[in-house]
Amino acid sequence: MEIEDKFDVPEDYRLPDLTGLPGCDETAGPKSHRLVAIYFDTPDLRLAARGITLRRRRGGLDPGWHLKLPRAKGVRQEITRPLTPSTKIVPAELADLVLAYTRGAPLTPVAELDTRRSVTHLRNGAGVRLVEIADDRVKGTVLGGEPYVERWREVEAELIEGDAKLLRKVGKRLRKAGAVPAGSASKLARLLGAAREIPRPRLARTAPGSAGEAVVGYLASQAAVLLAEDPRVRRNEEDAVHRMRVACRRTRSALKSFKGIVAGTRPLRDELRWLGEVLGEARDLEVIRERFARALDGLDEDLVAGPVRARLGSDLLDDEHEAHDRIREALGGERYFALLDALDDLLATPALTEDAGRPAASLTAVAAKSWQRVTRAYEAAQEVEDPGERATALHEVRKAAKRARYTAESLGMTELAERAETVQEVLGAHQDGVVAQRRLAAEARAARRAGEDTFTYGVLTGLERARADRAHADFPGVWRKTAKAVAKLL
Protein backbone atom coordinates (compact mmCIF):
# COMPACT_ATOMS: atom_id res chain seq x y z
CA MET A 1 0.00 0.00 0.00
CA GLU A 2 1.33 3.40 -0.99
CA ILE A 3 0.33 6.12 1.49
CA GLU A 4 1.53 9.57 0.52
CA ASP A 5 0.70 13.26 0.48
CA LYS A 6 1.42 15.27 -2.66
CA PHE A 7 2.13 19.00 -2.81
CA ASP A 8 2.42 21.56 -5.58
CA VAL A 9 5.40 23.88 -5.08
CA PRO A 10 6.88 26.84 -7.01
CA GLU A 11 10.09 26.42 -8.97
CA ASP A 12 12.14 28.28 -6.32
CA TYR A 13 10.71 26.25 -3.40
CA ARG A 14 13.18 25.33 -0.63
CA LEU A 15 12.60 22.17 1.38
CA PRO A 16 12.32 23.08 5.07
CA ASP A 17 14.37 21.57 7.88
CA LEU A 18 12.61 18.32 8.77
CA THR A 19 14.76 17.33 11.75
CA GLY A 20 13.35 17.28 15.25
CA LEU A 21 10.06 15.59 14.40
CA PRO A 22 8.89 12.94 16.91
CA GLY A 23 10.77 9.69 16.36
CA CYS A 24 12.98 11.13 13.62
CA ASP A 25 16.63 11.16 14.64
CA GLU A 26 18.32 11.85 11.33
CA THR A 27 17.90 12.57 7.64
CA ALA A 28 19.62 10.78 4.79
CA GLY A 29 20.18 12.34 1.41
CA PRO A 30 19.34 14.00 -0.80
CA LYS A 31 20.04 11.43 -3.51
CA SER A 32 19.25 12.18 -7.15
CA HIS A 33 17.57 9.96 -9.74
CA ARG A 34 16.22 10.31 -13.24
CA LEU A 35 12.94 8.49 -13.85
CA VAL A 36 11.45 8.03 -17.32
CA ALA A 37 7.97 6.54 -17.33
CA ILE A 38 5.59 5.68 -20.15
CA TYR A 39 1.93 5.55 -19.09
CA PHE A 40 -0.63 3.26 -20.69
CA ASP A 41 -4.39 3.64 -20.98
CA THR A 42 -7.22 3.04 -23.41
CA PRO A 43 -7.69 5.66 -26.14
CA ASP A 44 -10.65 7.10 -24.20
CA LEU A 45 -8.71 7.12 -20.87
CA ARG A 46 -10.81 4.59 -18.97
CA LEU A 47 -8.09 4.05 -16.37
CA ALA A 48 -7.48 7.75 -15.78
CA ALA A 49 -11.22 8.21 -15.33
CA ARG A 50 -11.02 5.92 -12.29
CA GLY A 51 -7.77 7.30 -10.90
CA ILE A 52 -5.73 4.25 -12.00
CA THR A 53 -2.20 4.54 -13.35
CA LEU A 54 -0.28 1.89 -15.30
CA ARG A 55 3.29 2.66 -16.32
CA ARG A 56 6.63 1.27 -17.45
CA ARG A 57 9.39 3.16 -15.66
CA ARG A 58 13.17 3.17 -16.02
CA GLY A 59 15.58 4.60 -13.45
CA GLY A 60 15.43 5.05 -9.69
CA LEU A 61 15.35 2.36 -7.05
CA ASP A 62 12.29 0.50 -8.39
CA PRO A 63 12.37 0.30 -12.19
CA GLY A 64 9.67 -1.88 -13.71
CA TRP A 65 5.98 -1.99 -14.47
CA HIS A 66 3.79 -0.30 -11.84
CA LEU A 67 0.02 -0.55 -11.53
CA LYS A 68 -1.53 1.76 -8.92
CA LEU A 69 -5.12 1.22 -7.81
CA PRO A 70 -6.82 3.80 -5.55
CA ARG A 71 -8.02 2.50 -2.18
CA ALA A 72 -8.81 5.71 -0.27
CA LYS A 73 -7.76 9.35 -0.30
CA GLY A 74 -3.96 9.36 -0.35
CA VAL A 75 -3.81 5.54 -0.35
CA ARG A 76 -3.09 3.40 -3.39
CA GLN A 77 -2.28 -0.26 -3.85
CA GLU A 78 0.83 -0.63 -5.97
CA ILE A 79 1.43 -3.85 -7.91
CA THR A 80 4.82 -4.17 -9.57
CA ARG A 81 6.41 -6.43 -12.14
CA PRO A 82 9.98 -6.45 -13.57
CA LEU A 83 10.83 -4.55 -16.71
CA THR A 84 10.14 -6.37 -19.95
CA PRO A 85 11.94 -5.81 -23.26
CA SER A 86 8.85 -4.39 -24.92
CA THR A 87 8.02 -0.74 -24.35
CA LYS A 88 4.62 -1.04 -26.03
CA ILE A 89 3.04 -4.26 -24.70
CA VAL A 90 1.70 -4.32 -21.16
CA PRO A 91 2.45 -7.57 -19.27
CA ALA A 92 -0.59 -9.84 -19.53
CA GLU A 93 -0.97 -10.18 -15.76
CA LEU A 94 -1.27 -6.42 -15.27
CA ALA A 95 -3.54 -6.04 -18.29
CA ASP A 96 -5.84 -8.68 -16.78
CA LEU A 97 -6.03 -6.77 -13.49
CA VAL A 98 -7.63 -3.77 -15.22
CA LEU A 99 -10.01 -5.71 -17.48
CA ALA A 100 -13.02 -4.55 -15.46
CA TYR A 101 -12.13 -1.02 -16.56
CA THR A 102 -10.79 -1.56 -20.08
CA ARG A 103 -13.32 -4.31 -20.95
CA GLY A 104 -11.10 -5.52 -23.74
CA ALA A 105 -10.14 -2.13 -25.19
CA PRO A 106 -6.43 -1.93 -26.15
CA LEU A 107 -3.86 -0.38 -23.82
CA THR A 108 -1.55 2.04 -25.60
CA PRO A 109 1.01 4.68 -24.52
CA VAL A 110 -0.75 7.95 -23.68
CA ALA A 111 1.95 9.98 -21.91
CA GLU A 112 5.60 10.13 -20.90
CA LEU A 113 6.95 11.65 -17.70
CA ASP A 114 10.63 12.52 -17.40
CA THR A 115 11.33 13.26 -13.73
CA ARG A 116 14.46 14.55 -12.01
CA ARG A 117 13.96 13.34 -8.43
CA SER A 118 15.82 14.31 -5.27
CA VAL A 119 15.10 11.90 -2.40
CA THR A 120 15.53 12.51 1.31
CA HIS A 121 14.68 9.97 4.00
CA LEU A 122 13.68 10.63 7.58
CA ARG A 123 15.07 7.85 9.78
CA ASN A 124 14.97 6.82 13.41
CA GLY A 125 18.00 6.01 15.56
CA ALA A 126 18.13 2.45 14.23
CA GLY A 127 18.37 3.70 10.66
CA VAL A 128 14.82 2.63 9.76
CA ARG A 129 13.30 4.79 7.02
CA LEU A 130 10.13 6.42 8.32
CA VAL A 131 9.17 8.88 5.58
CA GLU A 132 10.49 9.47 2.07
CA ILE A 133 10.50 13.03 0.70
CA ALA A 134 10.68 13.18 -3.09
CA ASP A 135 11.36 16.57 -4.65
CA ASP A 136 10.40 16.16 -8.33
CA ARG A 137 11.02 18.36 -11.34
CA VAL A 138 8.80 16.96 -14.06
CA LYS A 139 8.56 17.20 -17.82
CA GLY A 140 5.32 15.67 -19.04
CA THR A 141 4.48 14.90 -22.66
CA VAL A 142 1.08 13.78 -23.92
CA LEU A 143 1.54 11.19 -26.66
CA GLY A 144 -0.59 10.84 -29.78
CA GLY A 145 -2.65 13.49 -31.51
CA GLU A 146 -1.67 17.12 -31.02
CA PRO A 147 1.55 17.34 -28.97
CA TYR A 148 1.37 18.83 -25.47
CA VAL A 149 4.27 19.39 -23.07
CA GLU A 150 4.21 20.75 -19.54
CA ARG A 151 6.87 21.28 -16.87
CA TRP A 152 6.31 21.61 -13.12
CA ARG A 153 7.71 20.86 -9.71
CA GLU A 154 6.06 18.92 -6.90
CA VAL A 155 6.94 17.29 -3.59
CA GLU A 156 5.72 13.93 -2.30
CA ALA A 157 5.88 12.72 1.31
CA GLU A 158 5.44 8.95 1.40
CA LEU A 159 4.99 6.88 4.54
CA ILE A 160 7.50 4.03 4.76
CA GLU A 161 7.68 2.68 8.34
CA GLY A 162 6.35 5.69 10.22
CA ASP A 163 2.78 6.44 11.26
CA ALA A 164 0.03 8.71 9.95
CA LYS A 165 0.68 11.26 12.71
CA LEU A 166 4.28 11.70 11.57
CA LEU A 167 3.16 12.08 7.95
CA ARG A 168 0.78 14.86 9.01
CA LYS A 169 3.58 16.68 10.85
CA VAL A 170 5.82 16.43 7.80
CA GLY A 171 3.03 17.85 5.65
CA LYS A 172 2.54 20.73 8.09
CA ARG A 173 6.19 21.75 7.77
CA LEU A 174 6.09 21.49 3.99
CA ARG A 175 2.99 23.68 3.85
CA LYS A 176 4.49 26.22 6.23
CA ALA A 177 7.39 26.57 3.80
CA GLY A 178 4.99 27.37 0.94
CA ALA A 179 3.78 24.02 -0.41
CA VAL A 180 0.07 23.54 -1.14
CA PRO A 181 -1.87 20.26 -1.43
CA ALA A 182 -1.64 18.98 -4.99
CA GLY A 183 -4.55 19.77 -7.24
CA SER A 184 -4.34 16.33 -8.88
CA ALA A 185 -4.14 12.84 -7.42
CA SER A 186 -1.21 11.90 -9.67
CA LYS A 187 1.28 13.40 -12.10
CA LEU A 188 -0.53 11.70 -14.95
CA ALA A 189 -3.88 13.18 -13.94
CA ARG A 190 -2.33 16.64 -13.84
CA LEU A 191 -0.79 16.28 -17.27
CA LEU A 192 -3.77 14.71 -19.01
CA GLY A 193 -6.22 17.02 -17.29
CA ALA A 194 -4.37 20.03 -18.69
CA ALA A 195 -4.18 18.62 -22.21
CA ARG A 196 -7.62 17.07 -22.62
CA GLU A 197 -10.78 16.30 -20.72
CA ILE A 198 -10.60 13.13 -18.64
CA PRO A 199 -13.98 11.39 -18.74
CA ARG A 200 -15.63 10.74 -15.41
CA PRO A 201 -18.08 7.96 -14.56
CA ARG A 202 -21.52 9.20 -15.50
CA LEU A 203 -24.10 9.54 -12.75
CA ALA A 204 -27.69 10.59 -13.32
CA ARG A 205 -28.78 13.98 -12.08
CA THR A 206 -31.43 13.59 -9.42
CA ALA A 207 -33.24 16.08 -7.24
CA PRO A 208 -31.33 16.82 -4.01
CA GLY A 209 -32.84 15.02 -1.04
CA SER A 210 -35.03 12.86 -3.27
CA ALA A 211 -35.62 9.12 -3.17
CA GLY A 212 -34.01 8.89 -6.59
CA GLU A 213 -30.84 10.54 -5.33
CA ALA A 214 -30.64 8.17 -2.37
CA VAL A 215 -31.17 5.02 -4.43
CA VAL A 216 -28.88 5.96 -7.32
CA GLY A 217 -26.19 7.06 -4.85
CA TYR A 218 -26.36 3.74 -3.02
CA LEU A 219 -26.22 1.76 -6.27
CA ALA A 220 -23.19 3.79 -7.36
CA SER A 221 -21.40 3.02 -4.08
CA GLN A 222 -21.95 -0.72 -4.51
CA ALA A 223 -20.88 -0.64 -8.16
CA ALA A 224 -17.67 1.08 -7.01
CA VAL A 225 -17.04 -1.70 -4.48
CA LEU A 226 -17.61 -4.36 -7.13
CA LEU A 227 -15.11 -2.73 -9.48
CA ALA A 228 -12.54 -2.12 -6.74
CA GLU A 229 -12.66 -5.76 -5.64
CA ASP A 230 -12.28 -7.11 -9.18
CA PRO A 231 -8.45 -6.87 -9.32
CA ARG A 232 -8.20 -8.26 -5.77
CA VAL A 233 -10.36 -11.25 -6.75
CA ARG A 234 -8.16 -11.93 -9.78
CA ARG A 235 -5.14 -11.96 -7.43
CA ASN A 236 -7.04 -14.16 -4.95
CA GLU A 237 -6.45 -11.69 -2.12
CA GLU A 238 -7.92 -12.37 1.29
CA ASP A 239 -11.69 -11.77 1.60
CA ALA A 240 -11.90 -10.29 -1.91
CA VAL A 241 -14.33 -12.89 -3.28
CA HIS A 242 -16.56 -12.41 -0.26
CA ARG A 243 -16.60 -8.62 -0.60
CA MET A 244 -17.34 -8.75 -4.32
CA ARG A 245 -20.09 -11.30 -3.79
CA VAL A 246 -21.68 -9.13 -1.08
CA ALA A 247 -21.55 -6.12 -3.43
CA CYS A 248 -23.43 -8.22 -6.01
CA ARG A 249 -26.02 -9.24 -3.45
CA ARG A 250 -26.50 -5.73 -2.09
CA THR A 251 -26.89 -4.28 -5.57
CA ARG A 252 -29.35 -6.97 -6.59
CA SER A 253 -31.30 -6.57 -3.34
CA ALA A 254 -31.49 -2.80 -3.79
CA LEU A 255 -32.70 -3.12 -7.38
CA LYS A 256 -35.42 -5.48 -6.20
CA SER A 257 -36.42 -3.51 -3.10
CA PHE A 258 -36.43 -0.16 -4.90
CA LYS A 259 -38.07 -1.24 -8.16
CA GLY A 260 -40.70 1.38 -7.36
CA ILE A 261 -37.95 4.00 -7.77
CA VAL A 262 -35.85 2.50 -10.60
CA ALA A 263 -37.82 0.41 -13.07
CA GLY A 264 -36.84 -2.21 -15.65
CA THR A 265 -33.95 -3.82 -13.76
CA ARG A 266 -34.94 -7.50 -13.98
CA PRO A 267 -32.31 -8.41 -16.65
CA LEU A 268 -29.55 -6.79 -14.59
CA ARG A 269 -30.74 -8.54 -11.43
CA ASP A 270 -30.56 -11.86 -13.25
CA GLU A 271 -26.98 -11.18 -14.35
CA LEU A 272 -25.99 -10.15 -10.82
CA ARG A 273 -27.43 -13.45 -9.58
CA TRP A 274 -25.26 -15.27 -12.13
CA LEU A 275 -22.12 -13.41 -11.01
CA GLY A 276 -22.94 -14.04 -7.36
CA GLU A 277 -23.27 -17.76 -8.06
CA VAL A 278 -19.92 -17.82 -9.88
CA LEU A 279 -18.27 -16.14 -6.90
CA GLY A 280 -20.24 -18.18 -4.40
CA GLU A 281 -18.76 -21.56 -5.28
CA ALA A 282 -15.22 -20.57 -4.26
CA ARG A 283 -16.44 -18.62 -1.23
CA ASP A 284 -18.54 -21.51 0.07
CA LEU A 285 -15.62 -23.91 -0.30
CA GLU A 286 -13.35 -21.49 1.53
CA VAL A 287 -15.82 -21.13 4.41
CA ILE A 288 -16.43 -24.85 4.86
CA ARG A 289 -12.73 -25.71 4.57
CA GLU A 290 -11.88 -23.22 7.33
CA ARG A 291 -14.83 -24.51 9.37
CA PHE A 292 -13.56 -28.10 9.22
CA ALA A 293 -9.99 -26.99 10.00
CA ARG A 294 -11.16 -25.27 13.18
CA ALA A 295 -13.23 -28.29 14.17
CA LEU A 296 -10.31 -30.70 13.65
CA ASP A 297 -7.96 -28.43 15.60
CA GLY A 298 -10.41 -28.57 18.48
CA LEU A 299 -10.41 -32.36 18.67
CA ASP A 300 -8.07 -34.50 20.74
CA GLU A 301 -5.61 -36.18 18.43
CA ASP A 302 -6.86 -39.65 19.38
CA LEU A 303 -10.20 -38.69 17.78
CA VAL A 304 -8.54 -37.86 14.44
CA ALA A 305 -8.25 -41.08 12.44
CA GLY A 306 -7.05 -41.63 8.89
CA PRO A 307 -6.19 -38.96 6.29
CA VAL A 308 -9.19 -36.85 7.26
CA ARG A 309 -7.16 -33.63 7.40
CA ALA A 310 -6.11 -34.14 3.78
CA ARG A 311 -9.64 -34.82 2.55
CA LEU A 312 -11.14 -31.88 4.44
CA GLY A 313 -8.15 -29.62 3.90
CA SER A 314 -5.91 -29.96 0.88
CA ASP A 315 -8.55 -31.76 -1.22
CA LEU A 316 -11.11 -29.01 -0.56
CA LEU A 317 -8.41 -26.42 -1.24
CA ASP A 318 -7.80 -28.01 -4.65
CA ASP A 319 -11.54 -27.70 -5.36
CA GLU A 320 -11.39 -24.09 -4.21
CA HIS A 321 -8.53 -23.34 -6.60
CA GLU A 322 -10.50 -24.85 -9.46
CA ALA A 323 -13.45 -22.66 -8.50
CA HIS A 324 -11.14 -19.62 -8.58
CA ASP A 325 -10.06 -20.60 -12.08
CA ARG A 326 -13.72 -20.57 -13.12
CA ILE A 327 -14.09 -17.11 -11.55
CA ARG A 328 -11.15 -15.75 -13.52
CA GLU A 329 -12.58 -17.26 -16.70
CA ALA A 330 -15.94 -15.59 -16.04
CA LEU A 331 -14.31 -12.22 -15.23
CA GLY A 332 -12.55 -12.28 -18.58
CA GLY A 333 -15.67 -12.94 -20.62
CA GLU A 334 -18.07 -10.81 -22.61
CA ARG A 335 -20.99 -11.67 -20.33
CA TYR A 336 -19.23 -10.02 -17.38
CA PHE A 337 -18.25 -6.98 -19.44
CA ALA A 338 -21.88 -6.63 -20.58
CA LEU A 339 -22.99 -6.73 -16.94
CA LEU A 340 -20.57 -3.92 -16.07
CA ASP A 341 -21.77 -1.91 -19.08
CA ALA A 342 -25.36 -2.40 -17.92
CA LEU A 343 -24.44 -1.14 -14.46
CA ASP A 344 -22.79 1.94 -15.98
CA ASP A 345 -25.86 2.61 -18.13
CA LEU A 346 -28.17 2.20 -15.14
CA LEU A 347 -26.25 4.77 -13.10
CA ALA A 348 -26.05 7.21 -15.99
CA THR A 349 -29.62 6.88 -17.29
CA PRO A 350 -31.82 5.05 -14.77
CA ALA A 351 -35.49 4.53 -15.59
CA LEU A 352 -36.71 6.63 -12.66
CA THR A 353 -40.38 6.46 -11.74
CA GLU A 354 -42.56 9.28 -10.48
CA ASP A 355 -41.86 8.14 -6.92
CA ALA A 356 -38.16 8.93 -7.44
CA GLY A 357 -39.01 12.58 -6.95
CA ARG A 358 -40.47 12.02 -3.51
CA PRO A 359 -38.43 12.84 -0.38
CA ALA A 360 -35.80 10.27 0.54
CA ALA A 361 -37.51 9.86 3.93
CA SER A 362 -40.39 8.14 2.14
CA LEU A 363 -38.12 5.15 1.51
CA THR A 364 -38.54 4.01 5.12
CA ALA A 365 -41.80 2.48 3.91
CA VAL A 366 -39.72 0.17 1.71
CA ALA A 367 -37.77 -0.99 4.75
CA ALA A 368 -41.02 -1.69 6.60
CA LYS A 369 -42.35 -3.65 3.64
CA SER A 370 -39.11 -5.63 3.49
CA TRP A 371 -39.47 -6.61 7.15
CA GLN A 372 -43.08 -7.64 6.53
CA ARG A 373 -41.74 -10.23 4.08
CA VAL A 374 -39.60 -11.65 6.86
CA THR A 375 -42.64 -11.87 9.14
CA ARG A 376 -44.73 -13.61 6.48
CA ALA A 377 -41.93 -16.09 5.77
CA TYR A 378 -41.64 -16.83 9.49
CA GLU A 379 -45.38 -17.38 9.88
CA ALA A 380 -45.38 -19.71 6.87
CA ALA A 381 -42.49 -21.70 8.37
CA GLN A 382 -44.40 -22.08 11.63
CA GLU A 383 -47.16 -23.96 9.83
CA VAL A 384 -44.79 -26.55 8.33
CA GLU A 385 -44.63 -29.80 10.30
CA ASP A 386 -42.27 -31.96 8.22
CA PRO A 387 -38.69 -31.38 9.55
CA GLY A 388 -37.10 -31.34 6.10
CA GLU A 389 -39.66 -28.96 4.64
CA ARG A 390 -39.46 -26.81 7.76
CA ALA A 391 -35.70 -26.44 7.31
CA THR A 392 -36.33 -25.24 3.76
CA ALA A 393 -38.97 -22.81 5.01
CA LEU A 394 -36.59 -21.41 7.63
CA HIS A 395 -33.99 -20.91 4.92
CA GLU A 396 -36.55 -18.67 3.17
CA VAL A 397 -36.86 -16.69 6.41
CA ARG A 398 -33.11 -16.26 6.41
CA LYS A 399 -33.08 -15.02 2.81
CA ALA A 400 -35.87 -12.54 3.58
CA ALA A 401 -33.95 -11.32 6.65
CA LYS A 402 -30.83 -10.80 4.57
CA ARG A 403 -32.75 -8.71 2.05
CA ALA A 404 -34.34 -6.71 4.88
CA ARG A 405 -30.89 -6.11 6.33
CA TYR A 406 -29.46 -4.89 3.02
CA THR A 407 -32.45 -2.61 2.49
CA ALA A 408 -32.08 -1.12 5.97
CA GLU A 409 -28.33 -0.65 5.47
CA SER A 410 -28.90 1.18 2.19
CA LEU A 411 -31.17 3.64 4.02
CA GLY A 412 -28.90 4.13 7.00
CA MET A 413 -31.38 2.39 9.33
CA THR A 414 -28.63 0.82 11.40
CA GLU A 415 -30.69 -0.61 14.25
CA LEU A 416 -33.16 -2.31 11.92
CA ALA A 417 -30.25 -3.72 9.91
CA GLU A 418 -28.70 -5.13 13.07
CA ARG A 419 -31.99 -6.79 14.10
CA ALA A 420 -32.37 -8.37 10.69
CA GLU A 421 -28.76 -9.53 10.79
CA THR A 422 -29.41 -11.27 14.12
CA VAL A 423 -32.16 -13.36 12.53
CA GLN A 424 -29.96 -14.02 9.52
CA GLU A 425 -27.02 -15.17 11.66
CA VAL A 426 -29.00 -17.57 13.87
CA LEU A 427 -30.68 -19.20 10.91
CA GLY A 428 -27.36 -19.11 9.06
CA ALA A 429 -25.74 -21.10 11.85
CA HIS A 430 -28.46 -23.72 11.42
CA GLN A 431 -28.15 -23.78 7.63
CA ASP A 432 -24.34 -23.93 7.77
CA GLY A 433 -24.58 -26.92 10.09
CA VAL A 434 -26.94 -28.70 7.72
CA VAL A 435 -24.67 -28.01 4.72
CA ALA A 436 -21.61 -29.16 6.66
CA GLN A 437 -23.31 -32.44 7.55
CA ARG A 438 -24.10 -33.09 3.89
CA ARG A 439 -20.50 -32.41 2.90
CA LEU A 440 -19.18 -34.65 5.66
CA ALA A 441 -21.48 -37.46 4.55
CA ALA A 442 -20.19 -37.18 0.98
CA GLU A 443 -16.55 -37.11 2.12
CA ALA A 444 -17.14 -40.09 4.42
CA ARG A 445 -18.57 -42.11 1.52
CA ALA A 446 -15.51 -41.30 -0.57
CA ALA A 447 -13.22 -42.24 2.33
CA ARG A 448 -15.07 -45.51 2.87
CA ARG A 449 -14.69 -46.44 -0.81
CA ALA A 450 -10.95 -45.78 -0.46
CA GLY A 451 -10.76 -48.10 2.55
CA GLU A 452 -10.04 -45.26 5.01
CA ASP A 453 -11.12 -44.95 8.64
CA THR A 454 -14.32 -42.86 8.79
CA PHE A 455 -14.61 -42.54 12.56
CA THR A 456 -13.68 -38.83 12.61
CA TYR A 457 -16.34 -37.96 10.04
CA GLY A 458 -18.92 -39.31 12.48
CA VAL A 459 -17.47 -37.23 15.32
CA LEU A 460 -17.56 -34.06 13.19
CA THR A 461 -21.08 -34.84 12.00
CA GLY A 462 -22.22 -35.12 15.59
CA LEU A 463 -20.70 -31.76 16.43
CA GLU A 464 -22.31 -30.13 13.39
CA ARG A 465 -25.70 -31.64 14.21
CA ALA A 466 -25.41 -30.32 17.78
CA ARG A 467 -24.59 -26.80 16.53
CA ALA A 468 -27.46 -26.84 14.06
CA ASP A 469 -29.90 -28.14 16.68
CA ARG A 470 -28.76 -25.51 19.16
CA ALA A 471 -29.31 -22.72 16.64
CA HIS A 472 -32.73 -24.19 15.79
CA ALA A 473 -33.66 -24.28 19.48
CA ASP A 474 -32.43 -20.72 20.05
CA PHE A 475 -34.33 -19.24 17.13
CA PRO A 476 -37.83 -18.90 18.65
CA GLY A 477 -36.46 -16.82 21.52
CA VAL A 478 -34.36 -14.72 19.17
CA TRP A 479 -37.39 -14.16 16.94
CA ARG A 480 -39.62 -13.02 19.79
CA LYS A 481 -37.02 -10.56 21.02
CA THR A 482 -36.28 -9.28 17.51
CA ALA A 483 -39.90 -8.94 16.45
CA LYS A 484 -40.66 -6.94 19.59
CA ALA A 485 -37.74 -4.59 18.98
CA VAL A 486 -38.57 -4.11 15.28
CA ALA A 487 -42.19 -3.30 16.14
CA LYS A 488 -40.92 -0.32 18.13
CA LEU A 489 -38.70 0.83 15.26
CA LEU A 490 -41.37 0.64 12.56
Side-chain angles (χ1 to χ4, degrees), residues 8 90 166 288 300 315 329:
D8 293 330
V90 176
L166 175 59
I288 203 162
D300 293 337
D315 287 0
E329 182 180 357

Side-chain angles (χ1 to χ4, degrees), residues 37-40 53-57 64-66 68 78:
I38 299 175
Y39 286 78
F40 290 75
T53 58
L54 174 58
R55 72 189 179 202
R56 181 188 188 276
R57 190 169 77 180
W65 288 90
H66 304 157
K68 295 188 179 184
E78 183 173 3

Side-chain angles (χ1 to χ4, degrees), residues 3 32 39 51 115 126 149 170 181 208 234 298 332 336 347 395 438:
I3 302 175
S32 298
Y39 286 78
T115 303
V149 178
V170 170
R234 294 174 191 272
Y336 176 59
L347 297 176
H395 185 52
R438 291 173 184 162

Side-chain angles (χ1 to χ4, degrees), residues 132-272:
E132 178 180 288
I133 310 297
D135 183 359
D136 292 341
R137 288 172 168 81
V138 187
K139 175 188 175 183
T141 305
V142 176
L143 304 176
E146 188 174 342
Y148 178 85
V149 178
E150 184 179 355
R151 299 175 185 269
W152 72 91
R153 185 181 176 192
E154 68 180 41
V155 172
E156 298 176 356
E158 181 178 352
L159 203 58
I160 307 298
E161 297 291 343
D163 57 27
K165 184 177 180 181
L166 175 59
L167 190 63
R168 288 195 297 270
K169 288 184 178 295
V170 170
K172 185 176 181 180
R173 288 204 183 179
L174 294 174
R175 291 193 302 273
K176 191 174 181 180
V180 297
S184 299
S186 67
K187 293 179 177 65
L188 180 65
R190 171 175 178 154
L191 176 64
L192 293 178
R196 55 187 288 194
E197 183 179 356
I198 298 177
R200 299 299 176 193
R202 297 177 299 156
L203 192 64
R205 291 186 177 183
T206 49
S210 67
E213 180 188 52
V215 171
V216 172
Y218 178 76
L219 292 171
S221 71
Q222 293 307 309
V225 172
L226 194 154
L227 278 176
E229 292 303 319
D230 176 287
R232 298 185 66 241
V233 168
R234 294 174 191 272
R235 285 165 53 82
N236 199 13
E237 293 185 19
E238 184 178 0
D239 210 35
V241 169
H242 173 60
R243 287 173 57 84
M244 190 175 187
R245 184 190 190 189
V246 169
C248 285
R249 285 176 165 176
R250 284 181 170 149
T251 303
R252 181 166 162 257
S253 176
L255 292 173
K256 195 170 184 179
S257 294
F258 300 120
K259 60 185 178 182
I261 305 299
V262 182
T265 63
R266 173 60 73 83
L268 179 54
R269 297 198 321 255
D270 290 342
E271 291 305 282
L272 286 166

Side-chain angles (χ1 to χ4, degrees), residues 36 38 54 114 132 135 152 178 227 285 303 390 429 474 488:
V36 180
I38 299 175
L54 174 58
D114 190 334
E132 178 180 288
D135 183 359
W152 72 91
L227 278 176
L285 284 166
L303 297 178
R390 183 178 175 83
D474 289 345
K488 292 179 180 179

Side-chain angles (χ1 to χ4, degrees), residues 32 223 305 359 377 389 401 454 473:
S32 298
E389 293 179 2
T454 60

Side-chain angles (χ1 to χ4, degrees), residues 65-395:
W65 288 90
H66 304 157
L67 171 63
K68 295 188 179 184
L69 303 165
R71 286 286 172 255
K73 185 177 181 181
V75 180
R76 294 191 292 179
Q77 180 182 15
E78 183 173 3
I79 301 167
T80 63
R81 290 294 178 268
L83 278 177
T84 56
S86 175
T87 61
K88 295 182 179 181
I89 301 176
V90 176
E93 182 179 353
L94 295 185
D96 285 347
L97 292 180
V98 294
L99 270 176
Y101 304 95
T102 64
R103 298 172 200 176
L107 289 165
T108 59
V110 295
E112 180 181 272
L113 293 179
D114 190 334
T115 303
R116 304 283 179 168
R117 170 166 289 181
S118 178
V119 178
T120 301
H121 287 112
L122 308 186
R123 305 192 302 197
N124 64 16
V128 175
R129 298 181 304 156
L130 303 177
V131 175
E132 178 180 288
I133 310 297
D135 183 359
D136 292 341
R137 288 172 168 81
V138 187
K139 175 188 175 183
T141 305
V142 176
L143 304 176
E146 188 174 342
Y148 178 85
V149 178
E150 184 179 355
R151 299 175 185 269
W152 72 91
R153 185 181 176 192
E154 68 180 41
V155 172
E156 298 176 356
E158 181 178 352
L159 203 58
I160 307 298
E161 297 291 343
D163 57 27
K165 184 177 180 181
L166 175 59
L167 190 63
R168 288 195 297 270
K169 288 184 178 295
V170 170
K172 185 176 181 180
R173 288 204 183 179
L174 294 174
R175 291 193 302 273
K176 191 174 181 180
V180 297
S184 299
S186 67
K187 293 179 177 65
L188 180 65
R190 171 175 178 154
L191 176 64
L192 293 178
R196 55 187 288 194
E197 183 179 356
I198 298 177
R200 299 299 176 193
R202 297 177 299 156
L203 192 64
R205 291 186 177 183
T206 49
S210 67
E213 180 188 52
V215 171
V216 172
Y218 178 76
L219 292 171
S221 71
Q222 293 307 309
V225 172
L226 194 154
L227 278 176
E229 292 303 319
D230 176 287
R232 298 185 66 241
V233 168
R234 294 174 191 272
R235 285 165 53 82
N236 199 13
E237 293 185 19
E238 184 178 0
D239 210 35
V241 169
H242 173 60
R243 287 173 57 84
M244 190 175 187
R245 184 190 190 189
V246 169
C248 285
R249 285 176 165 176
R250 284 181 170 149
T251 303
R252 181 166 162 257
S253 176
L255 292 173
K256 195 170 184 179
S257 294
F258 300 120
K259 60 185 178 182
I261 305 299
V262 182
T265 63
R266 173 60 73 83
L268 179 54
R269 297 198 321 255
D270 290 342
E271 291 305 282
L272 286 166
R273 180 192 292 111
W274 160 75
L275 180 58
E277 290 172 351
V278 170
L279 296 166
E281 182 184 5
R283 172 60 180 171
D284 292 344
L285 284 166
E286 176 188 15
V287 169
I288 203 162
R289 176 177 55 81
E290 293 176 351
R291 183 184 184 96
F292 290 155
R294 288 192 300 270
L296 287 168
D297 288 343
L299 294 179
D300 293 337
E301 278 304 313
D302 58 355
L303 297 178
V304 181
V308 62
R309 290 187 185 276
R311 280 197 179 275
L312 300 183
S314 57
D315 287 0
L316 287 180
L317 185 59
D318 289 342
D319 291 344
E320 190 180 328
H321 287 160
E322 291 177 2
H324 273 284
D325 289 341
R326 287 188 285 275
I327 289 175
R328 282 188 283 270
E329 182 180 357
L331 297 189
E334 291 299 327
R335 184 175 183 179
Y336 176 59
F337 298 158
L339 186 159
L340 296 178
D341 288 342
L343 262 179
D344 288 345
D345 291 343
L346 173 75
L347 297 176
T349 56
L352 297 176
T353 67
E354 290 184 3
D355 287 344
R358 299 175 66 180
S362 65
L363 293 173
T364 56
V366 178
K369 186 176 181 181
S370 188
W371 181 257
Q372 289 170 6
R373 293 191 190 93
V374 183
T375 301
R376 289 197 298 270
Y378 172 77
E379 292 172 348
Q382 291 300 101
E383 296 177 2
V384 178
E385 295 182 2
D386 179 78
E389 293 179 2
R390 183 178 175 83
T392 301
L394 287 174
H395 185 52

